[in-house]
């Protein structure tokens, strides 16, 4: 098997590879984030209560997405490292095991989440909107297969440099969901349940082209033949060494979001949770470019690590940080300047008009959350690319679970700044944690330079 143009690009031309890989990922992420915003807009028309109900479930939904993406990162990292080392047989076998792993995890996650959803929502403080939150949550959990399987297939395509096949179906998911939302929510009168059905159905439909390319057309660099599957526990271990820490990172981020919802409920009530939910959907759009650049750097970094190419590894890190910082500065400025008109998209109805001033205040603080985020994102993704998922996890724990929580609690409760303090604390924790992550990965690469050729 000879390397094709895509493989040659990720192995030998890191900057060009990041540019080629990142843009489709960014566009697909923007579609997904825009989908979240539009989903929120339609639900906001039902009033603050339904929006808050969705807001309580959103961290759990994002945790599932994060878990799926974490396993995908483990698969992406392992396959890219084998490709960099020119061990294509092991790369193909790893792809087969990745699909099997996503199926196993889907079954376990669906059963477990259905059993504990009600208790989790009560712990989170959703008692006031429990009925609507359960309606939304049970439907989304029943469709968890539409999260895990596409995420894993996309990771396999990305590891080979087939970025269009990894990204376009995700765009399709967003487009279908945006079309179905008003139909199920208002035309059919299903409310928040309709929003959940639209989300699951859109994800399921997007799987069709991915399954066709992978299992019917079979024209990728790596051929996926499930009939040739033979269990290799070492491959599962190598995927999970990165996948579990990467997934735990997303769980930690989701836990922090759940905690912030709870604190906001205590400090300012359900309306504050609705405003935070709306604002975070906007901020997530700003995060999309950094995620795309980070995923591209993970693929390039994995190939560089497999090939023991120090220069390409450093290029993946520093070029990724440069692109991320440029995007974060531009987006932060845009959010700050246009906070008022942006707030209107979540406060257009009489029932939701109370959200406008709260969204403006939140957005003009949380936009700074983006500024130094590329430093931390790129550090985490490059550690994952080397198979050092535990180090990436430790950095996320430090940044999100420790620093963001400490500063949010300090500003919100100790200094008595209320919901504004919560937002300022999140920004401060992200900035300090990201700086630490960037400093440490540079130290780590220099210390272990002997590994590289």
């Amino acid at each position: 098997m000879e390397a094709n143009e895509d493989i040659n690009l990720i192995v030998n031309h890191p900057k060009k590879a990041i540019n080629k890989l990142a843009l489709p990922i960014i566009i697909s992420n923007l579609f997904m984030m825009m989908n979240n915003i539009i989903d929120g807009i339609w639900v906001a028309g039902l009033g603050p209560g339904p929006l808050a109900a969705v807001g309580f479930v959103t961290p759990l939904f994002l945790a599932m997405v994060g878990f799926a993406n974490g396993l995908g990162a483990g698969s992406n990292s392992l396959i890219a490292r084998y490709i960099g080392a020119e061990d294509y047989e092991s790369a193909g076998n790893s792809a087969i095991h990745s699909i099997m792993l996503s199926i196993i995890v889907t079954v376990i996650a669906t059963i477990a989440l259905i059993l504990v959803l009600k208790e989790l929502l009560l712990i989170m403080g959703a008692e006031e909107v429990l009925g609507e939150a359960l309606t939304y949550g049970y439907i989304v959990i029943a469709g968890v297969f539409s999260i895990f399987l596409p995420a894993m297939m996309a990771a396999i395509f990305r590891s080979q440099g087939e970025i269009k096949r990894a990204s376009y179906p995700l765009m399709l998911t967003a487009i279908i969901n945006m079309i179905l939302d008003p139909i199920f929510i208002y035309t059919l009168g299903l409310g928040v349940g309709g929003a959940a059905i639209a989300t699951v159905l859109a994800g399921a439909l997007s799987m069709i082209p991915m399954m066709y390319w992978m299992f019917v057309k079979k024209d990728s660099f790596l051929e996926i033949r499930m009939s040739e599957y033979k269990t290799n526990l070492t491959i599962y271990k190598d995927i999970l060494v990165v996948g579990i820490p990467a997934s735990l990172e997303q769980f930690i981020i989701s836990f922090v979001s759940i905690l912030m919802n709870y604190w906001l409920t205590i400090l300012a009530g359900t309306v504050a949770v609705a405003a935070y939910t709306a604002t975070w959907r906007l901020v997530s759009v700003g995060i999309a470019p950094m995620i795309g650049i980070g995923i591209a750097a993970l693929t390039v970094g994995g190939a560089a690590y497999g090939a023991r190419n120090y220069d390409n590894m450093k290029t993946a890190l520093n070029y990724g940080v440069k692109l991320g910082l440029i995007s974060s500065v531009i987006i932060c400025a845009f959010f700050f300047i246009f906070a008022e008109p942006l707030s209107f998209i979540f406060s257009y109805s009489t029932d939701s008009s109370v959200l406008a001033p709260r969204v403006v205040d939140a957005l003009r603080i949380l936009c700074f959350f983006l500024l130094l985020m590329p430093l931390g994102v790129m550090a985490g993704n490059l550690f994952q690319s080397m198979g050092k998922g535990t180090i990436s996890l430790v950095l996320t724990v430090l940044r999100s679970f420790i620093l963001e929580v400490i500063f949010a609690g300090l500003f919100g409760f100790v200094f008595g700044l209320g919901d504004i303090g919560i937002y300022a604390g999140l920004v401060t924790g992200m900035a300090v944690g990201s700086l630490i992550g960037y400093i440490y990965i540079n130290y780590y690469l220099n210390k272990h330079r002997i590994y590289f050729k």
Side-chain angles (χ1 to χ4, degrees):
M1 184 182 293
E2 295 183 0
N4 61 20
E5 183 179 346
D6 290 328
I7 301 300
N8 178 61
L9 194 67
I10 63 175
V11 172
N12 298 313
H13 305 283
K15 287 186 179 180
K16 290 182 180 179
I18 289 176
N19 289 335
K20 181 180 179 180
L21 294 173
L23 186 58
I25 299 172
I26 291 170
I27 294 172
S28 66
N29 282 337
L30 286 173
F31 267 85
M32 295 300 292
M33 300 305 178
M34 287 301 297
N35 171 50
N36 284 337
I37 290 176
I38 292 172
D39 195 52
I41 292 171
W42 288 119
V43 174
L46 300 171
L51 184 59
V54 173
F56 281 113
V57 177
T58 295
L60 299 177
F61 176 77
L62 293 178
M64 289 187 285
V65 172
F67 191 18
N69 289 337
L71 294 177
S75 173
N76 191 346
S77 172
L78 181 61
I79 295 171
R81 276 180 274 142
Y82 277 132
I83 288 174
E86 299 183 2
D87 185 354
Y88 303 133
E89 181 178 351
S90 295
N93 199 18
S94 298
I96 296 172
H97 280 70
S98 298
I99 295 295
M100 289 300 300
L101 181 62
S102 67
I103 294 172
I104 294 168
V105 172
T106 293
V107 174
I108 296 172
T110 302
I111 296 172
L113 287 169
I114 286 177
L115 291 176
V116 302
L117 179 62
K118 184 175 181 179
E119 287 72 20
L120 281 176
L121 290 172
L122 289 172
I123 292 171
M124 292 161 60
E127 185 174 359
E128 188 177 333
V129 290
L130 182 61
E132 290 174 310
L134 284 173
T135 298
Y136 185 83
Y138 280 135
I139 295 171
V140 168
I141 291 170
V144 76
F145 69 91
S146 67
I147 297 173
F148 281 95
L149 292 175
M152 187 60 80
M153 287 189 283
I156 293 171
F157 284 129
R158 278 197 304 271
S159 68
Q160 305 170 72
E162 292 188 300
I163 198 60
K164 292 180 180 179
R165 291 185 172 183
S167 303
Y168 287 173
L170 300 181
M171 299 181 203
L172 180 64
T173 298
I175 293 170
I176 293 174
N177 196 17
M178 286 186 272
I179 294 171
L180 295 180
D181 262 340
I183 296 174
F184 282 100
I185 295 172
Y186 294 104
T187 304
L188 299 180
L190 298 177
V192 294
I197 293 172
T199 297
V200 172
L201 187 57
L205 291 174
S206 74
M207 292 172 54
I208 295 174
M210 301 179 87
M211 295 180 72
Y212 170 75
W213 292 325
M214 187 169 288
F215 302 116
V216 179
K217 196 173 184 181
K218 297 181 179 179
D219 61 346
S220 295
F221 178 72
L222 299 177
E223 294 186 7
I224 312 299
R225 301 181 185 277
M226 300 303 294
S227 59
E228 297 178 0
Y229 169 76
K230 292 182 180 179
T231 302
N232 185 328
L233 296 180
T234 300
I235 292 179
Y236 282 131
K237 178 184 75 69
D238 289 340
I239 294 173
L240 294 174
V241 161
V242 173
I244 290 180
S247 300
L248 289 175
E249 289 181 40
Q250 297 302 319
F251 277 115
I252 289 167
I253 292 170
S254 295
F255 173 80
V256 171
S257 183
I258 291 170
L259 181 61
M260 295 306 109
N261 279 340
Y262 180 67
W263 281 359
L264 287 169
T265 303
I266 295 173
L267 292 168
T270 303
V271 174
V273 176
Y276 175 65
T277 300
T279 304
W280 198 252
R281 288 175 185 250
L282 290 170
V283 174
S284 296
V285 173
I287 295 174
M290 281 166 269
I291 294 174
I293 296 166
I295 292 173
L298 188 155
T299 300
V300 173
Y305 193 74
R308 297 178 178 248
N309 190 320
Y310 179 83
D311 290 338
N312 282 4
M313 180 66 73
K314 288 287 287 187
T315 298
L317 172 63
N318 293 325
Y319 189 64
V321 166
K322 177 183 175 181
L323 293 180
L325 288 174
I326 291 171
S327 69
S328 65
V329 169
I330 293 172
I331 295 168
C332 180
F334 177 81
F335 281 160
F336 190 88
I337 294 170
F338 296 101
E340 289 190 17
L342 288 170
S343 72
F344 178 74
I345 65 177
F346 294 104
S347 57
Y348 60 89
S349 71
T350 302
D351 290 334
S352 58
S353 59
V354 67
L355 296 177
R358 289 180 175 271
V359 171
V360 171
D361 290 341
L363 187 56
R364 283 186 171 156
I365 297 173
L366 287 173
C367 67
F368 290 99
F369 188 86
L370 304 172
L371 275 185
L372 297 183
M373 190 179 184
L375 302 177
V377 169
M378 229 50 62
N381 277 293
L382 265 296
F383 275 122
Q384 290 173 8
S385 76
M386 295 184 283
K388 313 298 180 183
T390 302
I391 298 176
S392 179
L393 174 61
V394 170
L395 291 175
T396 298
V397 169
L398 174 64
R399 184 180 68 241
S400 296
F401 191 67
I402 298 177
L403 293 174
E404 288 180 19
V405 170
I406 287 176
F407 282 115
L410 186 66
F411 293 164
F413 292 94
V414 179
F415 292 167
L417 298 177
D419 52 347
I420 298 299
I422 296 293
Y423 307 145
L426 290 173
V427 169
T428 304
M430 170 58 73
V432 175
S434 293
L435 278 170
I436 293 172
Y438 182 68
I439 291 169
Y440 185 70
I441 191 167
N442 278 284
Y443 165 79
Y444 184 92
L445 288 176
N446 289 330
K447 181 180 179 181
H448 293 85
R449 189 164 183 170
I450 192 173
Y451 165 83
F452 298 91
K453 293 178 181 178

